[in-house]
Amino acid sequence: MFGECHAHIIMDGKNYKAAVALHKSGVKEEVIRAHFRIWKEMGITFVRDGGDALGVSRRAKALAPEYGIDYRTPIFAIHKRGHYGGIVGHAFSDWKEYHALVVRAKEEGADFIKIMISGIMSFDCFGRLTEEGLPEHEICEMIRIVHEEGMAVMAHGNGDRPVRAAIEAGLDTLEHGNYLEQGTLDLLAGSRTIWIPTLAPVGNLLGCGRFPDEQAGRILERQMECISYAFEKGAAIGLGSDSGAYLVPHGQGLLDEYEWMKTAVGAEKEPALKKRLREAESRIKERSRRAC
């Protein structure tokens, strides 16, 4: 079984606010254990989380060995104050605060650092993001500081401009990466960056009635076209479902992600796809190896 390279153990795939509320007065260990049991039953032995602001993923890291799961976490994500990211972490207003958060994450046991460099898709309007992303020079500085601290960088990013800046700055892993242009995909293919495209959060929306299928379908199709192109160019692509997101349940979400990925590159290329996904997973593990 593949590893889950992008998960949110604080979420439940149904209702984000309700899932987070369970931990408001303290981390609910039984909730974490329920998710681990699902992964274990499905043979998923590697999980890379996206962090949270309530200490859930920190506690999960301590519990994971009981289930034979190699669990990696940034502890919390870091975002610029006033921009997208409060959903999973803490904010900074200046570089002193940013560096302090990086150091804090390390001290709390982070396996890598997660940064937020853009918003998310507007699922009811193709081509639109909730916000366009941070300036290029700020993205570059965020990545530089983390690398100087000896840590790998996971970046939540959508939109061509911020993603291109992150790749040029030496980003380790790109999460989501919607609406990339051909030039940026070429850059990605020639870089050290590993791309986790997370198709399931869009594909699994189809038919649910929450957003117009026409718009969600166009977003999905665009991302799949980009994956197909990047795959042919030799880009490093990993498998992560964003499990815990709406309609992306832990465990099953990874199976869904693989099916969407296989559709994107073509079923006839499945042997090559499997090989590439396992190679990317191995590289992700190497870049986020810290003592538990």
Side-chain angles (χ1 to χ4, degrees):
M1 187 61 179
F2 294 106
E4 171 61 89
C5 291
H6 190 119
H8 292 282
I9 202 163
I10 195 173
M11 303 181 192
D12 63 3
K14 301 173 184 177
N15 186 314
Y16 164 72
K17 290 183 179 180
V20 170
L22 292 174
H23 305 280
K24 286 290 187 179
S25 299
V27 175
K28 294 296 185 294
E29 196 171 286
E30 63 271 23
V31 176
I32 297 173
R33 291 184 179 279
H35 296 330
F36 274 138
R37 284 194 293 270
I38 292 171
W39 282 321
K40 182 178 181 179
E41 289 168 2
M42 296 186 68
I44 298 170
T45 59
F46 174 69
V47 176
R48 189 175 68 132
D49 202 86
D52 62 88
L54 298 178
V56 178
S57 66
R58 182 173 64 238
R59 182 58 185 150
K61 182 178 179 180
L63 297 175
E66 297 181 28
Y67 298 86
I69 292 175
D70 180 356
Y71 178 87
R72 311 288 177 91
T73 174
I75 305 298
F76 54 81
I78 304 174
H79 68 283
K80 187 175 181 181
R81 194 173 307 279
H83 293 266
Y84 179 78
I87 189 173
V88 287
H90 302 300
F92 71 95
S93 297
D94 55 39
W95 294 120
K96 182 178 179 180
E97 288 184 352
Y98 176 76
H99 186 248
L101 284 171
V102 172
V103 171
R104 173 183 165 186
K106 288 180 64 177
E107 291 175 345
E108 292 186 11
D111 299 294
F112 54 92
I113 301 297
K114 181 180 180 181
I115 63 175
M116 314 294 281
I117 63 173
S118 80
I120 61 175
M121 289 93 70
S122 294
F123 292 104
D124 56 357
C125 184
F126 175 78
R128 181 183 298 170
L129 300 176
T130 56
E131 62 176 84
E132 293 304 313
L134 300 179
E136 290 92 324
H137 70 278
E138 292 186 0
I139 293 171
C140 181
E141 184 67 2
M142 291 170 78
I143 293 172
R144 184 193 67 78
I145 289 171
V146 175
H147 282 167
E148 285 199 349
E149 286 291 337
M151 303 287 282
V153 185
M154 165 201 262
H156 162 108
N158 293 294
D160 192 72
R161 179 189 56 77
V163 167
R164 186 179 186 90
I167 295 171
E168 290 176 338
L171 178 64
D172 293 279
T173 69
L174 167 66
E175 317 299 310
H176 317 304
N178 286 273
Y179 301 134
L180 304 186
E181 301 297 337
Q182 182 174 315
T184 298
L185 293 169
D186 290 336
L187 180 67
L188 174 69
S191 75
R192 69 189 299 275
T193 303
I194 302 168
W195 184 22
I196 315 297
T198 61
L199 291 163
V202 182
N204 288 6
L205 287 175
L206 297 176
C208 79
R210 185 172 183 176
F211 299 102
D213 276 1
E214 179 183 359
Q215 301 304 316
R218 289 181 67 192
I219 295 170
L220 177 66
E221 182 179 3
R222 176 70 159 72
Q223 186 76 329
M224 293 175 78
E225 289 173 352
C226 288
I227 291 170
S228 177
Y229 180 85
F231 183 82
E232 292 302 319
K233 288 291 183 176
I237 301 175
L239 195 69
S241 71
D242 207 7
S243 73
Y246 184 62
L247 296 184
V248 188
H250 297 301
Q252 181 60 44
L254 189 62
L255 300 182
D256 296 342
E257 184 70 23
Y258 182 67
E259 289 303 314
W260 289 118
M261 186 78 76
K262 187 166 62 175
T263 300
V265 305
E268 72 280 3
K269 298 173 184 175
E270 185 172 12
L273 175 63
K274 286 183 175 180
K275 182 174 183 292
R276 296 268 288 279
L277 293 177
R278 295 196 187 285
E279 288 173 349
E281 182 179 324
S282 178
R283 288 171 59 189
I284 287 172
K285 290 177 180 177
E286 286 299 319
R287 293 185 193 179
S288 60
R289 189 176 300 283
R290 279 170 62 94
C292 295

